[in-house]
Amino acid sequence: MMQSLPGFRDFLPDDCAARNYIFARWREVALCYGFNEWDGPVLEPTDLYRKKSGAEIVDQLFNFTDKGEREVSMRPELTPTLARVVAAHERAFKKPLKWFSIGQFFRYEKQQRGRLREHYQLNCDIIGESDFAADIELIALCIDTLRTFGLTEKDFVVRISDREFWADFLRQQKLPTEKWEEVLQTIDKSGREPRETTEAKLGKLADPVFSIFDKGGDSGKLDRLVDGLGARGLAGFVDVDVRIVRGLAYYTGTVFEVFDRAGKLRAIAGGGRYDNLIGQLSDGAVSMPALGFAMGDVVLGELLRDRAAAREKLEAAVNDQNKIDIYVVIAKEQRRPDALEQIQELRDRGYRVDYPLTAEWPQVKAKNLATREESLIAGDALLDSVAKFFNVSGSG
Ligand code: HAM
């Protein structure tokens, strides 16, 4: 038997129904926030990621040389594509742009719980707005997206942080800017690595960094962010946590990641500000502040199945998708053409209609109402089998 590749999923009908449910909720909330849907190609020049995503993603690229000798990659994320597209077309749109997209992404990662080699993401980005109101709006959208699945502040938390906080710190420590990215990556991994490993990598910065971890960082900007969300009744969904810096290289300001409250799963979503990426990708031709986040379907799916209220909604949606409104029994085979005419009419009106494609006769479905057993019996054996049943049960 041929098997699928590691980290790639088959979607059986119930899985497709669950996926449709997730996409429908994603789309609904993004549209509610006034975002417009867009999409880009799944294959891009490898350089787009080499230049912009940072080392971790480049190691995970599904890349190859195409028949025209081009170095290409399956997209591991959408943000570099978005920056390219916006730099090319921004003049056609009024600012700020609020764009969302739902699509499949590919990363050659070590397969583990919550991490596969393909996954779907909802991406939501706001381009051309540097005001802090956009940061609050984006995080509110991320929270509301999860709330529509029936998840509450008991189920997930948005950990927010600020790369500028760390930039100020590294400046104070007089660390040359070309070393910043390495330190930020170490801080990003610190939650997943033993303390000694992080200490060794940080060297003389280890003490001050760990002291910030222990005390929690002091940031007026992050306090204002929480206040802004509080004004919408969403403060219970967020925690300030300066340990979050994000693995991707292009972030410049606010960054955040969403986790399950129980801390059992990988990140559900992540994002932040990337005010320099569009300028860098267009060699300075177009310079626009931007921010966004992506939410993946894999960990979200795990969480939805884990939390009772969310699971009920998911299961109801799956059942609803696969249900039929009307099943037409064709009692007389000679009348099949008439039945088909009516079936056609019912379907034209939007009913979900099913019927047997071939004659059920000469077989009959018999059901023993006492035992609830069902069996198919050939038509000419019906009398015999009924007689046998009454003899055996002796009930006359
Ligand atoms: P990211 O944190 O790399 O961010 O991915 C976002 C989400 O996608 C993760 O939180 C996770 O749920 C899901 N995800 C990522 N990799 C995998 C995987 N191998 N298997 C399953 N799920 C995965 C970005 O991609 C940024 N481009 C987000 C962004 C948009 N920033 C600004 N705009």
Side-chain angles (χ1 to χ4, degrees), residues 9 57 60 76-80 82 105-109 114-125 138 246-248 250-251 257-258 266-274 291-300:
R9 293 170 287 179
I57 278 214
Q60 297 170 342
E77 59 154 338
L78 191 63
T79 314
L82 174 64
F105 296 86
F106 306 87
R107 297 183 190 181
Y108 199 89
E109 290 205 52
R115 288 292 176 268
L116 304 174
R117 289 185 174 169
E118 54 72 25
H119 68 284
Y120 290 87
Q121 285 184 353
L122 162 71
N123 274 262
C124 298
D125 293 86
L138 187 79
R246 307 268 302 135
L248 294 157
Y250 45 68
Y251 292 111
E257 274 188 334
V258 185
R266 302 290 304 260
I268 304 162
R273 257 201 188 272
Y274 48 98
L291 67 162
F293 74 84
M295 179 179 294
D297 70 318
V298 179
V299 184
L300 175 63

Side-chain angles (χ1 to χ4, degrees), residues 53 58 86 91 128 208 257 283 340 374:
S53 293
V58 170
V86 164
R91 279 201 216 150
E257 274 188 334
D283 290 323
L340 284 173
E374 281 189 357

Side-chain angles (χ1 to χ4, degrees), residues 80-124:
T81 300
L82 174 64
R84 175 178 66 67
V85 170
V86 164
H89 299 284
E90 54 95 15
R91 279 201 216 150
F93 300 95
K94 138 175 160 292
K95 313 298 173 302
L97 280 70
K98 299 197 289 176
W99 283 11
F100 81 96
S101 189
I102 297 173
Q104 198 171 21
F105 296 86
F106 306 87
R107 297 183 190 181
Y108 199 89
E109 290 205 52
K110 200 161 127 246
Q111 198 189 328
Q112 50 190 298
R113 186 165 176 213
R115 288 292 176 268
L116 304 174
R117 289 185 174 169
E118 54 72 25
H119 68 284
Y120 290 87
Q121 285 184 353
L122 162 71
N123 274 262
C124 298

Side-chain angles (χ1 to χ4, degrees), residues 330 332-345 355:
I330 301 180
K332 279 205 184 104
E333 260 321 300
Q334 309 90 289
R335 301 287 306 277
R336 182 174 280 267
D338 300 327
L340 284 173
E341 210 173 287
Q342 289 184 331
I343 287 166
Q344 187 70 27
E345 238 173 74
Y355 67 98

Side-chain angles (χ1 to χ4, degrees), residues 32 34 47-48 53 81 116 124 155 163 171-172 195 214 224 261 265 267 280 303 325 345 357 374 379:
C32 264
D47 269 348
L48 183 68
S53 293
T81 300
L116 304 174
C124 298
D155 302 315
R163 277 207 176 189
R171 230 175 267 123
Q172 267 168 25
R195 186 171 172 136
D214 295 340
R224 277 198 292 136
R261 275 275 181 203
L265 310 173
Q280 286 167 0
L303 187 61
D325 296 319
E345 238 173 74
L357 284 174
E374 281 189 357

Side-chain angles (χ1 to χ4, degrees), residues 100-222:
F100 81 96
S101 189
I102 297 173
Q104 198 171 21
F105 296 86
F106 306 87
R107 297 183 190 181
Y108 199 89
E109 290 205 52
K110 200 161 127 246
Q111 198 189 328
Q112 50 190 298
R113 186 165 176 213
R115 288 292 176 268
L116 304 174
R117 289 185 174 169
E118 54 72 25
H119 68 284
Y120 290 87
Q121 285 184 353
L122 162 71
N123 274 262
C124 298
D125 293 86
I126 303 176
I127 299 113
E129 183 54 76
S130 55
D131 196 283
F132 205 50
D135 302 56
I136 298 170
E137 177 79 352
L138 187 79
I139 295 173
L141 165 56
C142 183
I143 294 170
D144 279 343
T145 305
L146 290 168
R147 285 180 58 224
T148 76
F149 289 103
L151 297 169
T152 69
E153 57 191 80
K154 293 200 179 74
D155 302 315
F156 72 91
V157 57
V158 184
R159 302 228 165 91
I160 55 173
S161 174
D162 182 16
R163 277 207 176 189
E164 280 174 19
F165 169 88
W166 287 108
D168 289 345
F169 166 79
L170 296 173
R171 230 175 267 123
Q172 267 168 25
Q173 299 287 328
K174 305 213 170 8
L175 191 76
T177 42
E178 58 288 0
K179 299 226 172 105
W180 286 16
E181 193 50 41
E182 207 183 313
V183 173
L184 292 176
Q185 295 301 327
T186 305
I187 294 172
D188 176 59
K189 291 207 182 73
S190 66
R192 284 167 272 147
E193 278 179 346
R195 186 171 172 136
E196 305 77 67
T197 313
T198 308
E199 272 171 357
K201 286 201 223 163
L202 289 176
K204 66 176 177 30
L205 288 180
D207 280 348
V209 167
F210 275 103
S211 127
I212 291 172
F213 283 2
D214 295 340
K215 285 201 310 255
D218 216 2
S219 158
K221 181 175 158 193
L222 291 174

